């Protein structure tokens, strides 16, 4: 909001101070209202659509490692239908030799709330995909992992 100051009313040597006067907008205007006015699509974002349309696989899981949500990219990369993924645990998508480490990573994630790790994703057809995974705590018992296929780097 623009402000005006009256410096001509306060000549040098005068100890009187001049206050800035704000020109307020509507009394109910908030920062969110200003953002929506500047960017009209903010109020219309469908976050579930963003989740489903994200190009990278996103898996949401609880503190026990049970998957509770998965986006379409996760379905495509793993080869499992969404309904089947939601009945699985983190270890089910981890190659057998890395499952113990997967449990340790989950315990650390519960403790610190954020983690990044490269690991090998096990797909439904038995194939494997090297991935870079970023996991964060979403809430008390919810975590989200965004994984990226790094086959071209390996």
């Amino acid at each position: 909001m623009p402000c005006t100051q009256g410096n001509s009313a306060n000549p040098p040597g005068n100890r009187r101070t001049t206050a800035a006067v704000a020109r307020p907008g509507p009394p109910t205007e908030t920062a969110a209202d200003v953002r929506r006015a500047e960017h009209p699509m903010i109020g219309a974002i469908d976050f579930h659509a963003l989740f489903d349309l994200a190009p990278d696989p996103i898996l949401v899981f609880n503190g026990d490692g049970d998957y509770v949500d998965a986006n379409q990219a996760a379905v495509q990369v793993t080869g499992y239908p969404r309904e089947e993924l939601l009945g699985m645990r983190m270890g089910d998508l981890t190659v057998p030799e890395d499952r113990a480490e997967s449990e340790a990573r989950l315990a650390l994630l519960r403790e610190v709330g954020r983690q990044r790790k490269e690991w090998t994703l096990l797909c439904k057809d038995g194939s494997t995909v090297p991935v870079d995974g970023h996991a964060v705590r979403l809430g008390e018992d919810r975590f989200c992992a965004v994984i990226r296929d790094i086959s071209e780097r390996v």
Side-chain angles (χ1 to χ4, degrees):
M1 289 182 245
C3 295
T4 59
Q5 292 186 347
N7 288 335
S8 62
N10 192 13
N14 187 343
R15 295 191 181 269
R16 194 174 65 162
T17 60
T18 304
V21 177
R23 294 184 190 141
T28 59
E29 185 175 65
T30 66
D33 295 329
V34 172
R35 282 192 303 276
R36 275 196 279 296
E38 292 171 355
H39 305 284
M41 290 303 295
I42 287 178
I45 291 176
D46 178 352
F47 286 100
H48 204 276
L50 288 173
F51 173 79
D52 279 334
L53 296 173
D56 291 325
I58 301 174
L59 296 161
V60 179
F61 51 97
N62 64 23
D64 293 327
D66 303 315
Y67 293 119
V68 296
D69 208 351
N71 71 350
Q72 188 58 39
V75 168
Q76 290 173 342
V77 168
T78 65
Y80 288 98
R82 185 176 182 278
E83 297 74 26
E84 194 171 346
L85 272 173
L86 301 189
M88 298 174 70
R89 297 179 45 86
M90 288 178 64
D92 297 330
L93 295 180
T94 305
V95 293
E97 59 271 19
D98 290 345
R99 287 192 181 135
E101 183 185 347
S102 176
E103 289 297 321
R105 283 196 322 259
L106 178 58
L108 182 62
L109 180 60
R110 284 191 302 255
E111 184 181 322
V112 299
R114 177 176 292 271
Q115 191 176 133
R116 180 178 179 190
K117 177 76 174 149
E118 289 184 9
W119 54 286
T120 304
L121 178 73
L122 180 62
C123 301
K124 183 173 183 161
D125 65 4
S127 65
T128 59
V129 180
V131 296
D132 183 19
H134 296 255
V136 295
R137 179 187 310 275
L138 296 178
E140 184 65 30
D141 189 45
R142 285 289 185 268
F143 300 87
C144 174
V146 177
I147 58 178
R148 178 163 290 164
D149 181 341
I150 57 170
S151 299
E152 293 180 14
R153 285 195 319 189
V154 179

